DNA sequence: CAATCTAACGCAATCGTTTGTGCATCCCGT
DNA sequence: ACGGGATGCACAAACGATTGCGTTAGATTG
């Protein structure tokens, strides 16, 4: 029960395979009479012809496959992006290949190489590090690539992100309005743009409020555990603060845990803001105050940008799209407590 | 800057492309002298040769790609499975293509067709319905396919799941031990095996305890909203119960919400058990009592089963693997309240 | 009516591998 | 020294589509 090939259709329709190919390809249909087109189409339909994508890809060197590179599918941040991209791509007849790098640069490199060998048409990368050799390689070869969520130093690829500056501003505005002055920034791993951007924004925002933005620590990774460790260390050192602006929801969760271990309650003693508004942040208790980022939309936009590129409309160098964010005031922030001592 | 091909390697090494091919292929290396093998390997390395997977696939009709079909990537259940499968497959040199059907059978059909055209070697399907035309097609063509999480009526494909019978038993045992007699089953959509299996198990388990297992309703889908709606309707009808055994965590969340709307508190008034132990169930308040299912392990096992098949070791017809589950006693279940009235 | 043009299609090369077959070359034994 | 296996490699035909170019036949023009 071998699949029906173009030759079979051609024979059945009484034409040459080449002609059948053109008849079936809307873009090359000029050189073929309307009658022949109709006949071939009919036969193809009747026989249930479905073109062999490998053979086509070999000849045309286009595969209609796009790879999406993410660090960890179990981080609820990414499924949203995946979903947005997946929908746009599949509507355009593209297939999405997902590869999970497990947060490991080496894995990322080999995965990307494997995808290239497989002839993917382009990449959407959500794992960018600030200095990123994999991206440099991609840029050197000229593979169409779009960055989402994180960007890199080189800035050679278009980037779809969110307005982190404003997101952090909103957090700081909110907290200062509640009377907080001693605000600690819990940043992300230094080799990511999100950590840099949010940390810079924090410093500037604090300064704009006439406060010092120097109270700052960082998690080793964007995980709950890293957040807890960082805050534990800060407490150990005797850092004094009434609020924490975390660079990420998971870090914020870890912070809350570290505080709880010390008997410090949130928000009564210390307020916390997260970042991203991951799905279940609103149902924790207390529900988490955080910044909503349009993750799904980012995925869609990244896909659209890449599609345009693949369609012959490359983006302006280093296009950056920053989507608007929304502050979600919930239960982990409260008016600063009157100092007891 | 075109990629280096096998011909380039062959020319550089002074051999025929065919010979180079064999030299580079460990399985066909017999007909080639050790010296030549070494020389070709060296040249290949030096030139940075990486074989064109499309061309190879065209010739060998193997693509080393496996498609994983899931209903909705944003349901936290699935990323775990994806991750397990992804790891096993990538270690074996396979690429995982993810396709999200958005819970729509038609989408599923066209996605699977597209994947077949693309020449994937096999499928892992997590979307099986009890009567499933897509799976029947796959079976008719003989495409290697493994079912995970849900199975279908035909039973022609191996299935990797969890021990639902026992999982439900544990819930019922736990609740009856707490004194509950009027237990409501909140089942899933009828066209899924998980709904059938868990519902059957509930009925039998109740009977084994000398209770009636007839108190049963069903959600239209495995979503929070469907769970809430079903329980709202049950309350409207005046159904009387002190505990709910839900077929799924999301349904359980919906149930909790519907109860809360009526001022019924959990677990003081009504106990609830979930199913699957999705990531954040333990951090809700109260933390959810549920049944932990080894999702990641299921993904791994499904991938291994498929790999074995692709490697020429097809599974016994209708193999079923049921992984052990673990009862997670947490905060949503309590001793039955002494009736007030 | 001859010359020219154009529409419609056939021909064959091509994409980069894999693999069945056949030709040398070499070694060994008698 | 010669026949007979091995052994090691080259040759060329696939896999299934796309596409530049050549060819034919019919329409058009002067």
């Amino acid at each position: 029960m071998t699949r029906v090939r173009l030759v079979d259709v051609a024979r059945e329709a009484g034409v040459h395979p080449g002609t059948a190919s053109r008849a079936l390809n809307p873009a090359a249909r000029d050189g073929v009479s309307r009658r022949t087109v109709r006949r071939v189409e009919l036969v193809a339909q009747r026989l249930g012809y479905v073109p062999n994508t490998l053979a086509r890809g070999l000849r045309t060197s286009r595969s209609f496959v796009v790879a999406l590179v993410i660090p960890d599918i179990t981080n609820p941040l990414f499924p949203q992006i995946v979903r947005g991209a997946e929908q746009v791509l599949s509507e355009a007849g593209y297939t999405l290949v997902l590869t999970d790098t497990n947060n490991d640069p080496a894995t990322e490199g080999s995965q990307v190489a494997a995808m290239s060998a497989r002839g993917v048409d382009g990449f959407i990368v959500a794992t960018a590090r600030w200095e990123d050799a994999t991206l440099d390689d991609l840029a050197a070869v000229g593979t169409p690539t779009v960055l989402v969520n994180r960007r890199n130093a080189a800035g050679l690829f278009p980037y779809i992100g969110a307005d982190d500056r404003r997101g952090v501003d909103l957090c700081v505005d909110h907290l200062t309005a509640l009377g907080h002055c001693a605000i600690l920034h819990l940043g992300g791993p230094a080799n990511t743009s999100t950590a840099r951007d949010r940390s810079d924004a924090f410093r500037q925002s604090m300064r704009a409020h006439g406060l010092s933005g120097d109270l700052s620590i960082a998690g080793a990774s964007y995980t709950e555990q890293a957040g807890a460790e960082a805050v534990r260390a800060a407490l150990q050192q005797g850092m004094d603060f009434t609020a924490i602006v975390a660079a990420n929801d998971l870090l914020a969760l870890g912070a809350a845990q570290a505080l709880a271990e010390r008997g410090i309650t949130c928000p009564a003693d210390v307020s916390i803001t997260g970042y991203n508004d991951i799905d279940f942040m609103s149902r924790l208790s207390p529900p988490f105050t955080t910044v909503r980022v349009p993750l799904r939309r980012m995925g869609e936009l990244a896909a659209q940008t890449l599609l345009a590129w693949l369609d012959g409309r490359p983006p302006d160098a280093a296009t950056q799209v920053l989507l608007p964010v929304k502050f979600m005031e919930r239960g982990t922030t409260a008016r600063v407590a009157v100092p007891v001592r």
Side-chain angles (χ1 to χ4, degrees), chain A residues 78-89:
Chain A
F78 297 104
Q80 302 284 346
I81 297 179
V82 173
R83 193 145 229 272
E86 218 269 344
Q87 189 182 336
V88 169
L89 290 173

Side-chain angles (χ1 to χ4, degrees), chain A residues 200-256:
Chain A
D200 287 357
F202 174 77
R203 208 178 318 276
Q204 293 190 28
S205 192
M206 288 293 279
R207 222 164 275 162
H209 282 279
L211 300 170
S212 157
D214 296 341
L215 208 56
S216 180
I217 58 179
S221 65
Y222 277 124
T223 61
E224 196 171 351
Q225 200 184 343
E229 277 169 13
V231 171
R232 265 186 222 117
L235 291 171
Q236 200 94 29
Q237 288 181 231
M239 281 193 179
D240 214 16
F241 49 86
T242 64
I244 299 179
V245 170
N248 165 287
D249 284 337
L250 296 177
L251 289 173
L253 287 175

Side-chain angles (χ1 to χ4, degrees), chain A residues 14 25 33 94 98 100-101 117 146 162 201 213 239 268 280 323:
Chain A
N25 181 351
S33 72
Y94 278 74
L98 193 69
D100 189 318
T101 67
V146 174
M239 281 193 179
F280 59 95
L323 266 33

Side-chain angles (χ1 to χ4, degrees), chain A residues 186 227 246-257 272-275 281 288:
Chain A
L186 171 51
N248 165 287
D249 284 337
L250 296 177
L251 289 173
L253 287 175
Q257 186 192 318
I272 306 181
T273 64
Y275 208 99
M281 295 302 277
F288 246 84

Side-chain angles (χ1 to χ4, degrees), chain A residues 142-155:
Chain A
T143 312
T145 301
V146 174
L147 270 30
V148 69
N149 186 51
R150 299 180 193 168
R151 60 202 177 86
N152 70 339

Side-chain angles (χ1 to χ4, degrees), chain A residues 163-188:
Chain A
D163 192 347
D164 280 1
R165 234 242 72 82
R166 177 152 172 75
V168 173
D169 272 358
L170 290 169
C171 291
V172 173
D173 287 355
H174 174 69
L175 289 170
T176 54
L178 289 173
H180 292 274
C181 297
I183 306 180
L184 172 70
H185 178 59
L186 171 51

